């Protein structure tokens, strides 16, 4: 009997459990595998991401890409159709159900229902599968077994570990936690509402999707005071159309990029891929473009927001749609880049790619417009020194500008580097050499199997989601994680069936 331990019961943990269940049952391995799912909350599926009941906390991807089954990407859409009564009031932008941006809690309900169904099925079929409501904080390796230590319960011995830890808290402003006017994360949202008074001037560190969610938490609960977002670039996410226009790329294709490898005997360069991207966008526009004018750095976020809403209502502009069309190929292109080229991409194009590839729902964008127009909301770039004056914070930005805010919320997102993640389990795994940091962020893994590589040559630890944010690209996308988890579980089941050395 091989024991598999899934650490984390959010979306990735649920996907891993279901995929293992399907492979165990279809390969008749019911008496050879046991599964333990360790989740610190009482219910699997929700986590911080999908446990929010705020009406403005919407999925940032249409429902048609959110199925939890690797080969049934439309399953969530089908579930929504079958549960229309539950979805009422929890779905935005519904030209049709496939294009719906549902509430986060609705997706959490879906994950919980799927998980519960297969957990109960496992018991009926005689498969040992248990949800352990506890928190893992350490792992040891003795006598060819992993020993997972828990905060409250007895240690669990296992042969394989799947790290599905979700997104750790930001650590870049941890020193501010001593101040009562500061909150290090906008999750769960009730902490924001407990901290902030309705008339407070609220400062939000970050203007990406987490920053947008923070704004939604405030305005959907009647906040009247000013809101100021501070970030390095001062860029808002672009606006996702209800229906993305299908783009059939002819220039930026895997074939053309692979030709660079084949003809020049080297990895492609970021400049070469971006040149193909520009040509593809210009082809869709039907004209040459002034790319310097398309650079949003230093521009007015309000003007861009108005442009983006207008474009989204027409199906998006070619720039946004070409970026969207790359969703299935971007991971392959990323894997073809060298480490240095990946770092160059992050430094040179990272912010622009992020706002185009990971846009906000149209419904939320429309809520931002009146906030800008009334002077309630501002977005400031080039955030600098931040100081607490005893009653609030002074935030400097740009050229010697300062804003005084009553409360400050960190919405900058999770750290990339393993060493910077505020996670006891991750820290202990790194200290013991059981996982190895990748220079570009996250853990070093075999991209084909998701198995972690370490200095001790110990096999059997797998990672997914934000834990592999450096080696893989779209680790915040559920559909991408589901697909990579399918490869991960296949590797484990293959070893169970044929032996570790097969």
């Amino acid at each position: 009997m091989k024991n598999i331990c899934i650490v984390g019961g959010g979306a990735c943990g649920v996907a891993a459990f279901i995929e293992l269940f399907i492979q165990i049952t279809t390969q008749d391995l019911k008496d050879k595998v046991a599964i333990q799912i360790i989740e610190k909350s009482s219910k699997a599926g929700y986590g911080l991401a999908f446990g929010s009941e705020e009406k403005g906390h919407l999925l940032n991807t249409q429902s048609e890409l959110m199925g939890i089954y690797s080969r049934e990407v439309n399953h969530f859409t089908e579930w929504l159709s079958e549960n229309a009564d539950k979805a009422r009031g929890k779905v935005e932008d519904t030209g049709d159900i496939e294009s719906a941006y549902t509430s986060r809690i609705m997706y959490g309900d879906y994950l919980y229902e799927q998980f519960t169904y297969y957990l109960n099925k496992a018991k009926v079929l005689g498969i040992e599968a248990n949800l352990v409501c506890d928190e893992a904080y350490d792992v040891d390796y003795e006598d060819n077994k992993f020993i997972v230590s828990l905060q409250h319960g007895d240690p669990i011995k296992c042969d394989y570990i799947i790290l599905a830890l979700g997104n750790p808290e930001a650590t870049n402003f941890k020193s501010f936690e001593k101040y009562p006017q500061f909150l290090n994360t906008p999750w769960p949202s009730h902490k924001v509402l407990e901290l902030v008074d309705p008339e407070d001037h609220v400062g939000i560190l970050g203007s990406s999707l987490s920053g947008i969610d923070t704004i939604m938490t405030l305005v959907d609960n009647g906040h009247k005071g000013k809101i100021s977002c501070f970030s390095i670039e001062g860029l808002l996410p672009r606006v996702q159309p209800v229906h993305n226009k299908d783009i059939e790329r002819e220039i930026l294709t895997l074939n053309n990029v692979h030709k660079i490898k084949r003809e020049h005997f080297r990895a492609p360069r970021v400049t070469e891929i971006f040149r193909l991207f520009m040509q593809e966008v210009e082809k869709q526009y039907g004209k040459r473009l002034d790319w310097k004018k398309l650079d949003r750095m230093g521009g007015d976020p309000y003007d861009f927001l108005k442009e983006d809403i207008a474009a989204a209502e027409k199906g998006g502009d070619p720039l946004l749609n070409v970026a969207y069309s790359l969703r299935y190929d971007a991971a392959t292109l990323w894997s073809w880049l060298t480490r240095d080229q990946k770092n160059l991409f992050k430094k040179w194009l990272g912010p622009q790619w992020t706002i185009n590839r990971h846009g906000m729902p149209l419904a939320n964008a429309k809520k931002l417009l009146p906030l800008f127009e009334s002077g309630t909301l501002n977005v400031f770039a080039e955030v600098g020194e931040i100081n607490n004056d005893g009653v609030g914070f002074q935030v400097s930005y740009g050229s010697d500008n300062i804003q005084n805010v009553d409360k400050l919320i960190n919405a900058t997102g999770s750290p990339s580097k393993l060493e910077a993640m505020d996670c006891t389990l991750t820290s202990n795994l790194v200290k013991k050499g059981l996982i190895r940091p990748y220079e570009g962020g996250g853990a070093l893994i075999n991209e084909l199997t998701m198995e972690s590589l370490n200095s001790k040559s110990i096999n059997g630890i797998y990672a997914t989601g934000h834990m592999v944010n450096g080696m893989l690209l779209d680790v915040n996308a559920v559909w991408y994680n589901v697909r990579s988890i399918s490869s991960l579980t296949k590797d484990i089941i293959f070893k169970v069936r044929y032996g570790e050395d097969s």
Side-chain angles (χ1 to χ4, degrees):
M1 176 74 73
K2 296 293 185 180
N3 195 17
I4 303 169
C5 188
I6 302 171
V7 184
C12 286
V14 168
F17 168 67
I18 292 175
E19 193 66 33
L20 284 170
F21 175 92
I22 292 171
Q23 293 191 38
I24 289 167
T25 52
T26 56
Q27 297 188 44
D28 196 23
L29 297 172
K30 294 186 287 292
D31 59 344
K32 294 184 178 180
V33 182
I35 307 173
Q36 316 299 324
I37 306 99
I38 302 172
E39 165 57 34
K40 57 187 176 183
S41 65
S42 59
K43 287 185 174 182
Y46 294 97
L48 289 178
F50 305 120
S52 171
E53 297 193 32
E54 297 295 331
K55 62 182 180 180
H57 290 178
L58 304 177
L59 297 178
N60 297 308
T61 303
Q62 294 101 321
S63 65
E64 62 184 350
L65 293 176
M66 297 296 289
I68 201 64
Y69 305 98
S70 62
R71 297 300 176 185
E72 297 178 61
V73 70
N74 285 324
H75 186 266
F76 180 52
T77 299
E78 296 170 1
W79 184 87
L80 281 176
S81 298
E82 294 169 0
N83 292 270
D85 56 328
K86 296 180 184 177
R88 195 172 295 119
K90 297 182 180 180
V91 178
E92 297 281 357
D93 299 338
T94 52
D96 50 56
I97 206 72
E98 291 84 0
S99 301
Y101 289 83
T102 77
S103 66
R104 303 276 179 84
I105 192 68
M106 188 72 184
Y107 190 67
D109 291 342
Y110 163 72
L111 293 175
Y112 174 70
E113 183 177 298
Q114 302 308 303
F115 174 82
T116 303
Y117 174 80
Y118 285 102
L119 186 65
N120 291 333
K121 275 291 183 184
K123 294 175 182 177
V124 171
L125 296 174
I127 300 172
E128 183 182 337
N130 300 295
L131 174 63
V132 180
C133 296
D134 209 326
E135 185 171 2
Y137 71 90
D138 201 1
V139 173
D140 290 295
Y141 188 72
E142 298 177 5
D143 299 326
N144 296 320
K145 292 279 187 181
F146 295 105
I147 303 171
V148 181
S149 296
L150 305 179
Q151 290 284 1
H152 306 291
D154 295 330
I156 295 175
K157 286 187 177 182
C158 59
D159 301 279
Y160 302 100
I161 296 176
I162 299 174
L163 298 173
L165 304 179
N167 293 342
E169 279 191 17
T171 55
N172 47 352
F173 294 101
K174 292 286 284 185
S175 62
F176 289 168
E177 287 192 311
K178 61 188 175 186
Y179 300 118
Q181 305 92 355
F182 177 76
L183 192 62
N184 193 49
T185 174
W187 309 103
S189 58
H190 70 80
K191 290 187 177 181
V192 173
L193 302 177
E194 292 166 1
L195 173 75
V196 175
D197 293 326
E199 304 297 329
D200 279 344
H201 182 179
V202 179
I204 299 173
L205 298 173
S207 57
S208 61
L209 291 174
S210 292
I212 302 302
D213 285 338
T214 310
I215 295 171
M216 293 301 112
T217 297
L218 293 169
V219 300
D220 286 343
N221 286 278
H223 188 73
K224 303 299 181 184
K226 288 189 174 183
I227 302 171
S228 296
C229 290
F230 304 94
S231 63
I232 301 298
E233 297 87 9
L235 300 174
L236 288 174
R238 296 201 64 196
V239 182
Q240 289 278 17
V242 175
H243 298 281
N244 285 90
K245 290 182 180 178
D246 290 328
I247 298 291
E248 189 171 337
R249 286 176 283 110
E250 298 179 13
I251 300 171
L252 179 50
T253 64
L254 294 181
N255 282 350
N256 286 340
V257 178
H258 189 271
K259 188 181 294 185
I260 295 172
K261 299 170 64 179
R262 178 172 57 82
E263 293 181 348
H264 297 280
F265 314 115
R266 60 167 172 78
R269 294 170 181 149
V270 170
T271 51
E272 294 168 326
I273 294 177
F274 186 56
R275 189 177 301 117
L276 295 176
F277 178 84
M278 291 191 294
Q279 293 171 0
E280 189 72 67
V281 173
E282 289 177 345
K283 181 180 182 300
Q284 299 299 328
Y285 269 109
K287 62 181 181 180
R288 297 292 298 274
L289 299 173
D290 184 344
W291 285 86
K292 289 186 178 179
K293 288 185 178 180
L294 292 178
D295 185 351
R296 296 195 166 198
M297 295 292 191
D300 187 338
Y302 171 58
D303 289 339
F304 290 136
L305 182 65
K306 289 189 292 183
E307 292 176 13
D308 288 348
I309 289 175
E313 290 177 330
K314 298 176 181 178
D317 58 36
L319 179 62
L320 190 72
N321 285 322
V322 170
Y324 182 77
S325 76
L326 284 163
R327 62 193 181 280
Y328 295 125
D329 291 342
T332 300
L333 293 173
W334 185 254
S335 71
W336 288 350
L337 296 176
T338 64
R339 184 177 59 194
D340 289 343
Q341 288 295 304
K342 288 177 180 178
N343 290 335
L344 175 62
F345 176 88
K346 288 181 177 180
K347 182 178 179 180
W348 181 38
L349 296 173
Q352 302 281 1
W353 168 258
T354 299
I355 64 170
N356 280 281
R357 181 63 190 89
H358 303 291
M360 72 177 95
L362 179 58
N364 284 351
K366 289 181 175 179
K367 288 183 181 180
L368 297 185
L369 269 185
L371 299 178
F372 274 111
E373 292 164 351
S374 66
T376 300
L377 175 64
N378 286 288
V379 178
F380 300 110
E382 299 178 23
V383 62
E385 187 175 347
I386 303 173
N387 294 298
N388 183 275
D389 60 8
V391 294
F393 287 89
Q394 295 179 331
V395 184
S396 63
Y397 63 95
S399 301
D400 302 321
N401 298 306
I402 292 178
Q403 283 281 327
N404 293 297
V405 299
D406 300 304
K407 304 292 167 52
L408 188 64
I409 301 169
N410 187 3
T412 55
S414 300
S416 174
K417 301 280 189 180
L418 279 186
E419 306 90 311
M421 294 181 186
D422 187 15
C423 175
T424 302
L425 176 59
T426 301
S427 297
N428 287 333
L429 286 166
V430 171
K431 288 176 184 176
K432 294 179 178 180
L434 292 174
I435 59 174
R436 180 177 164 190
Y438 177 64
E439 186 177 321
L444 181 66
I445 60 166
N446 179 336
E447 296 177 46
L448 298 177
T449 65
M450 309 297 289
E451 186 169 19
S452 175
L453 305 177
N454 55 64
S455 58
K456 295 189 174 183
S457 299
I458 295 173
N459 298 324
I461 297 180
Y462 295 77
T464 186
H466 189 75
M467 281 285 292
V468 294
N469 71 85
M471 294 203 69
L472 304 183
L473 186 61
D474 280 327
V475 295
N476 290 323
V478 169
W479 69 265
Y480 179 74
N481 288 329
V482 167
R483 181 176 291 184
S484 62
I485 286 167
S486 176
S487 299
L488 178 162
T489 55
K490 284 179 182 176
D491 190 62
I492 293 177
I493 294 301
F494 181 84
K495 290 176 179 178
V496 170
R497 190 176 184 88
Y498 298 106
E500 190 74 28
D501 299 325
S502 297

